């Protein structure tokens, strides 16, 4: 039996940093990985991150949001010395298996960002936190704390690469004009089911009629940039995305690249 997602009687009240481990239940993760196949994802992303890291002479990378390993495996294949961390043991098990399929023995560490330095050792040229992961932190205190942990684990000339969904568009367009994001053609749809300044509850529907949700904190782009600089990062560059799942004017994702010094 697979455990189901648990959001309780009032799902929109679930606004807790630690809840992510109960949201990424194995059945959701398996489904997502089998439908959004990695080849398709690689094609749409191109070599954006690999090029960015190479251009800056990065050798060692800590992937703090490994998930099922998409970026870690690409980084290993590209020759980066990569350590793969995540707070979810289920995710890391899936990532490790995915790495093996590709001939990589991934170095995995289970670690929550809020206590990253306790469980992960060493200093890195780059930390990547990708796939709209930072959105899982529900209090400003946790966000500051996680960023400070990332900062501390970087070499003096290291960089943090962190992406996020374009929540400004979702918040400003309002609940009524919410749009669906389609992946794999029409197979998987992702749409905001509930939106306020403190929560975007995303609904993921699959072709077999199964439905899953994730509760996320809607990070405004300039807010994320401000937090990064307040924690000490210098020179923060923000890119519009490489990938458009929505045919509109606005990018769906932003990628922030922040330098430690
Ligand atoms: N980067 C992967 C990708 O793009 O496919 C996974 C992205 S998934 C949306 C977010 C990941 O962040 C999950 O694997 C989750 O377990 C992890 N995560 C969320 N909050 C975390 C925290 N506080 N500490 C450590 N990992 C966390």
């Amino acid at each position: 039996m697979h455990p189901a997602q648990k959001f309780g009687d009032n799902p929109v009240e679930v606004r807790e940093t630690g809840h992510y481990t109960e949201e990424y239940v194995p059945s959701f993760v398996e489904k997502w990985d089998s439908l959004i196949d990695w080849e398709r994802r690689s094609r749409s992303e191109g070599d954006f991150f690999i090029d960015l890291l190479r251009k800056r002479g990065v050798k060692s990378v800590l992937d703090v949001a490994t998930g099922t390993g998409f970026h870690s495996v690409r980084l290993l294949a590209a020759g980066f010395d990569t350590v793969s961390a995540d707070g979810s043991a289920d995710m890391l098990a899936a990532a490790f298996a995915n790495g093996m399929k590709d001939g990589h023995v991934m170095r995995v560490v289970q670690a929550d960002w809020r206590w990253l330095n306790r469980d992960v050792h060493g200093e890195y040229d780059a930390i990547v936190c990708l796939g709209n992961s930072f959105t899982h932190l529900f209090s400003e205190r946790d966000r500051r704390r996680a960023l400070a942990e990332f900062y501390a684990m970087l070499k003096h000339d290291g960089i943090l690469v962190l992406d996020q969904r374009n929540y400004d568009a979702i918040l400003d367009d309002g609940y009524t004009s919410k749009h669906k994001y389609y992946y794999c053609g029409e197979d998987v749809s992702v749409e905001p089911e509930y939106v306020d300044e403190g929560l975007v509850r995303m609904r993921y529907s699959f072709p077999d009629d199964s439905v899953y949700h994730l509760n996320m904190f809607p990070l405004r782009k300039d807010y994320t940039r401000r937090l990064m600089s307040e924690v000490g990062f210098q020179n923060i560059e923000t890119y519009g995305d490489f990938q458009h799942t929505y045919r509109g004017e606005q990018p769906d994702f932003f990628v922030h690249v922040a330098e430690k010094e």
Side-chain angles (χ1 to χ4, degrees):
M1 263 300 282
H2 284 311
Q5 286 188 314
K6 287 199 196 87
F7 283 98
D9 294 339
N10 194 359
V12 299
E13 288 304 315
V14 179
R15 297 167 188 227
E16 252 172 65
T17 296
H19 196 257
Y20 68 95
T21 49
E22 285 162 61
E23 298 181 21
Y24 289 107
V25 292
S27 56
F28 177 35
V29 171
E30 275 163 30
K31 193 157 273 156
W32 185 260
D33 241 13
S34 66
L35 282 166
I36 312 292
D37 68 272
W38 283 20
E39 231 165 84
R40 194 190 295 253
R41 198 172 164 191
S42 302
R43 275 200 303 276
S44 71
E45 182 177 298
D47 286 331
F48 181 87
F49 295 110
I50 305 286
D51 289 347
L52 188 151
L53 296 173
R54 283 208 179 117
K55 230 185 275 164
R56 289 166 181 264
V58 167
K59 301 252 180 306
S60 58
V61 185
L62 173 63
D63 181 355
V64 288
T66 298
T68 56
F70 176 75
H71 287 106
S72 283
V73 169
R74 294 204 73 196
L75 292 165
L76 286 165
F80 292 98
D81 180 11
T82 309
V83 173
S84 307
D86 199 287
S88 153
D90 287 332
M91 283 296 202
L92 287 176
F96 190 80
N98 282 330
M100 288 301 275
K101 276 189 234 152
D102 251 51
H104 303 288
V105 181
M106 220 182 252
R107 280 187 283 158
V108 294
V109 191
Q110 186 179 358
D112 189 288
W113 307 326
R114 292 166 287 172
W115 305 281
L116 194 66
N117 284 268
R118 194 186 64 188
D119 300 314
V120 186
H121 304 289
E123 284 192 329
Y124 299 83
D125 297 323
I127 290 181
V128 298
C129 182
L130 300 175
N132 195 34
S133 298
F134 197 66
T135 189
H136 285 293
L137 298 172
F138 267 96
S139 73
E140 180 159 316
R141 189 162 173 262
D142 290 337
R143 289 186 279 273
R144 283 183 189 279
R145 190 161 171 181
L147 287 173
E149 295 280 314
F150 299 164
Y151 187 91
M153 300 213 66
L154 285 169
K155 291 188 188 158
H156 72 96
D157 56 352
I159 52 165
L160 169 66
V161 184
L162 184 150
D163 72 1
Q164 62 164 100
R165 200 178 264 289
N166 178 356
Y167 287 112
D168 293 86
I170 296 175
L171 291 169
D172 297 338
D173 289 355
Y175 182 51
T176 45
S177 58
K178 64 188 177 172
H179 63 249
K180 281 192 190 200
Y181 303 82
Y182 289 103
Y183 293 88
C184 289
E186 305 283 298
D187 287 349
V188 189
S189 77
V190 181
E191 63 183 310
E193 185 181 271
Y194 173 90
V195 176
D196 68 31
E197 284 285 338
L199 177 75
V200 168
R201 179 166 164 82
M202 284 284 191
R203 176 192 162 94
Y204 297 77
S205 353
F206 292 91
D208 62 359
D209 292 333
S210 58
V211 172
Y212 294 86
H213 291 88
L214 290 177
N215 280 14
M216 300 164 157
F217 178 81
L219 297 156
R220 286 194 176 271
K221 179 187 74 185
D222 289 341
Y223 168 74
T224 310
R225 286 172 53 88
R226 177 165 63 77
L227 278 187
M228 286 173 151
S229 85
E230 284 174 6
V231 165
F233 285 100
Q234 311 285 321
N235 228 358
I236 301 150
E237 259 186 272
T238 300
Y239 300 85
D241 63 349
F242 41 80
Q243 173 192 19
H244 290 266
T245 47
Y246 166 63
R247 282 157 217 77
E249 296 300 312
Q250 309 229 43
D252 282 347
F253 279 85
F254 295 117
V255 181
H256 307 286
V257 180
E259 295 174 352
K260 181 161 179 170
E261 274 182 2

